[in-house]
């Protein structure tokens, strides 16, 4: 669904952080031992969503609470949504003890694959990904999983695509004036 050749790129080394209008983050907590916790951070300049950094880890809750708090404190997002399905609501409570920024829990009520597919055109049009990154970095692991996401069939790993959907959906809903040309389709989340 997200082949590398169809994704917009940006050069992280020449990115002008002073032009950023707002920063957003989305936390897709790990539901099982095979899941990654995926936390993409986006910097917006106009309607362009630069996927600036990503925390992508399989570390357990005890370790990644502090890791996530440090990551969010580093990037200082205006808004951070936390998927609160399964263990996400408990995770939000624990994270609030370490991170004092804005955390907004959300429950996904629709089919994950449908949500991702519905917003895939928006992601391809508005998101920009680092042109260069270390393959074994969190960003590299995130991109590997994202670009292997299948249009149809079973996706064993969908954490990257799901968190990117959540991030873009939040930005699109919080700043609708930037995306008037893109039809907003209800996804049953709010």
């Amino acid at each position: 669904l997200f082949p590398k050749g169809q994704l917009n790129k940006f050069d992280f080394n020449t990115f002008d952080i002073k032009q950023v209008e707002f920063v957003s983050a989305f936390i897709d907590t790990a539901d099982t031992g095979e899941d990654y916790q995926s936390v993409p951070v986006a910097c917006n300049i106009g309607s362009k969503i630069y996927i600036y950094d990503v925390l992508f880890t399989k570390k357990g809750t005890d370790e990644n609470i502090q890791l996530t708090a440090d990551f969010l404190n580093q990037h200082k997002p205006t808004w951070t949504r936390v998927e609160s399905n399964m263990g996400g609501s408990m995770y939000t409570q624990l994270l609030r003890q370490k991170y004092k920024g804005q955390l907004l829990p959300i429950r996904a009520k629709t089919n994950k694959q449908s949500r991702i597919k519905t917003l895939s055109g928006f992601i391809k049009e508005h998101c920009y990904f680092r042109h260069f990154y270390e393959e074994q970095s969190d960003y590299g692991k995130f991109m590997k999983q994202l670009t292997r996401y299948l249009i149809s069939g079973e996706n064993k790993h969908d954490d990257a695509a799901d968190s990117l959907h959540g991030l873009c959906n939040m930005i699109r809903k919080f700043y609708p004036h930037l995306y008037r040309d893109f039809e907003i389709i209800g996804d049953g989340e709010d």
Side-chain angles (χ1 to χ4, degrees):
L1 187 62
F2 302 104
K4 283 184 182 182
Q6 291 182 14
L7 299 177
N8 299 311
K9 306 285 191 308
F10 76 99
D11 187 343
F12 182 77
N13 295 321
T14 60
F15 184 76
D16 188 358
I17 198 78
K18 292 178 206 152
Q19 290 186 23
V20 172
E21 296 166 33
F22 58 91
V23 178
S24 306
F26 187 89
I27 302 172
D28 180 18
T29 59
D31 294 333
T32 69
E34 289 301 308
D35 284 351
Y36 280 86
Q37 175 174 304
S38 183
V39 187
V41 169
C43 295
N44 266 67
I45 300 174
S47 65
K48 294 181 178 179
I49 302 169
Y50 294 90
I51 307 304
Y52 188 76
D53 204 356
V54 177
L55 175 63
F56 201 68
T57 182
K58 282 188 174 184
K59 291 183 179 176
T61 302
D62 292 340
E63 274 185 276
N64 81 30
I65 289 285
Q66 188 63 55
L67 193 64
T68 303
D70 293 345
F71 184 73
L72 295 174
N73 283 323
Q74 175 188 350
H75 293 296
K76 298 174 180 40
T78 306
W79 306 104
T80 302
R81 269 201 168 162
V82 183
E83 189 174 70
S84 60
N85 296 4
M86 308 288 281
S89 56
M90 176 62 82
Y91 188 88
T92 303
Q93 291 173 4
L94 294 170
L95 185 57
R96 280 193 171 124
Q97 296 171 12
K98 305 272 184 187
Y99 175 68
K100 300 304 177 197
Q102 189 77 252
L103 294 175
L104 307 168
I106 186 167
R107 286 191 185 277
K109 298 175 185 169
T110 57
N111 178 276
K112 185 186 302 190
Q113 309 322 325
S114 296
R115 290 191 318 254
I116 294 166
K117 288 176 190 173
T118 299
L119 210 59
S120 64
F122 179 90
I123 290 168
K124 290 176 187 175
E125 181 178 340
H126 293 285
C127 289
Y128 289 75
F129 301 87
R130 289 184 187 182
H131 189 65
F132 300 106
Y133 47 84
E134 295 289 325
E135 293 292 325
Q136 293 306 311
S137 68
D138 284 4
Y139 203 101
K141 292 174 189 173
F142 173 87
M143 290 303 294
K144 183 177 182 180
Q145 194 182 95
L146 179 66
T147 57
R148 290 184 174 179
Y149 187 87
L150 301 173
I151 293 173
S152 60
E154 188 174 330
N155 284 288
K156 184 176 178 183
H157 300 291
D158 57 17
D159 308 305
D162 193 27
S163 64
L164 187 58
H165 162 271
L167 177 70
C168 289
N169 199 42
M170 175 182 70
I171 292 169
R172 184 182 65 147
K173 286 183 176 183
F174 285 16
Y175 302 95
H177 64 284
L178 296 174
Y179 307 104
R180 292 193 195 282
D181 293 340
F182 196 88
E183 180 183 357
I184 295 180
I185 299 168
D187 57 17
E189 282 188 332
D190 291 318

